Amino acid sequence: MRQVIEVGAIAGKVVAIARVAGKVILDIYSSSAKGGDGVLVAHKADASPLTLADLASHRVISEGLRQLTPEIPVISEEDEESAKGARGALFWLIDPLDGTKEFLAQNGEFTVNIALVSDGVPIFGVVFAPALGLMYWGGQGLGAFRERLGTVESLRVARPVVPGETFRVVASKSHLNAETKEFIARLGRCELIQAGSSLKFCRVAEGAADVYPRLGPTCEWDTAAAHALLEAAGGFVCDLQGESLRYGKPDVLNPFFIAASVPLVELEGA
C-alpha cells in the first residue's frame, strides 16, 4: 500500500525538531567562537568539513523524525549507510548542517534542512538559519512561511521582471564560473545578491531575489527542503532543460539547475 501523509498535520512538529537541532548547533557555534576546541571532526572524501555540530544535529533530527513518523525512512547526509539504502516512495531527506564552511567561518549563514519527498518530489521542507533567527517552511497545499522575531509571515515570490528592470541574482562573486557568468549575461542588467547555504533559495522565495543559478555540483540533501519551500511560494526549480529536479535517484548528485520566481522559459525569453 502506498504511504500518504498530510503535511499540514506534521509541519509544526517538524519545525520544532529543526528548532531543537538549531539550538544544539548554536551551543557548539558559541563554544567555537569563544575558542572552544574539538569543533572540526574530520574532512570527508570530497574534502568538505565535518564538525561536531553536523553530527549532533543529525542525531537530533533523525531521532525526532523517527519518533514522529517511524514508518518513513530518514536519509541524511551524515549517515552514509542511509544514503545507500532503499528510499521507497516516501522518505525524509535531511542536511543537518548546510553550510559547514559558513559555520566554521562564523558568518551565521548556515542552515538546517529537512525535506519530505514523495515519488521523487519534495512536498514539504523546513529551512532554519539558527544564527540569524530565521525559520522557513512550506509545502504542497500548505503555502510558504517565514518566522523572524516571533512574527510569522506568508511568503510569495516577486512579480516577474519586466524589460528594462534589473534582475536580482543570487550568486557568489568569488565562485562565478564561466557557465554562471554566461547565464547571467543573457539576463541583461543584473544585481548580485550574496547568501550562504539554502538561504539562496529563501531569498527568491521571500521576493528578495529573482533567480538563483546553480551551475555547479550539489547533492539532493542540499536542495530538497528549499526546493519545496520555493515551489510553495510560487517559484520554480528546474534543470537546464526546464525539467523539475527529482529526488531519490541512484546518484545523489543534482544536475545543474535554476531556481527562480518564474519558469526557465520566461527567463530565456527575457
Side-chain angles (χ1 to χ4, degrees):
M1 180 182 295
R2 183 179 180 276
Q3 290 175 302
V4 295
I5 191 166
E6 173 56 51
V7 296
I10 62 168
K13 294 178 181 179
V14 181
V15 166
I17 291 170
R19 204 181 301 278
V20 174
K23 183 182 183 305
V24 169
I25 290 171
L26 284 185
D27 288 343
I28 299 172
Y29 188 67
S30 298
S31 172
S32 174
K34 295 174 182 176
D37 57 9
V39 172
L40 181 64
V41 174
H43 282 85
K44 293 182 266 189
D46 63 358
S48 61
L50 176 67
T51 71
L52 289 174
D54 292 84
L55 298 175
S57 177
H58 161 76
R59 286 192 292 270
V60 167
I61 299 169
S62 297
E63 292 171 8
L65 292 177
R66 288 181 180 124
Q67 289 180 15
L68 178 62
T69 55
E71 73 284 3
I72 301 177
V74 178
I75 311 301
S76 172
E77 179 184 12
E78 306 310 341
D79 181 359
E80 186 175 346
E81 291 308 308
S82 76
K84 291 178 180 177
R87 292 164 172 78
L90 188 67
F91 62 93
W92 293 104
L93 183 58
I94 67 174
D95 189 341
L97 177 52
D98 183 29
T100 303
K101 291 180 180 178
E102 282 79 9
F103 174 89
L104 292 171
Q106 292 279 315
N107 68 17
E109 294 203 334
F110 51 85
T111 61
V112 172
N113 299 342
I114 305 176
L116 181 63
V117 177
S118 176
D119 293 327
V121 176
I123 61 171
F124 174 71
V126 175
V127 177
F128 182 36
L132 304 180
L134 292 171
M135 178 74 77
Y136 299 86
W137 69 95
Q140 291 183 0
L142 184 66
F145 304 90
R146 176 186 63 208
E147 179 189 342
R148 59 179 175 180
L149 301 177
T151 299
V152 176
E153 306 164 89
S154 61
L155 301 181
R156 193 69 187 173
V157 296
R159 63 170 177 79
V161 177
V162 301
E165 290 185 337
T166 299
F167 276 94
R168 298 166 300 168
V169 181
V170 188
S172 171
K173 293 178 181 177
S174 59
H175 296 94
L176 286 178
N177 58 19
E179 292 92 342
T180 305
K181 289 180 180 178
E182 181 181 345
F183 175 85
I184 293 173
R186 292 200 302 270
L187 293 176
R189 190 166 65 186
C190 293
E191 169 194 357
L192 292 186
I193 295 175
Q194 301 293 293
S197 61
S198 291
L199 290 169
K200 300 180 184 71
F201 287 88
C202 297
R203 295 292 175 262
V204 181
E206 64 193 2
D210 302 300
V211 58
Y212 162 39
R214 181 64 186 216
L215 308 183
T218 58
C219 291
E220 291 185 357
W221 41 66
D222 296 320
T223 60
H227 181 162
L229 171 76
L230 179 52
E231 289 195 340
F236 301 84
V237 183
C238 65
D239 63 22
L240 301 187
Q241 286 72 49
E243 299 295 326
S244 184
L245 295 195
R246 303 289 296 181
Y247 297 85
K249 307 184 304 297
D251 183 350
V252 298
L253 288 176
N254 290 320
F256 292 176
F257 65 84
I258 307 297
S261 58
V262 297
L264 180 60
V265 67
E266 294 188 27
L267 290 174
E268 293 175 331

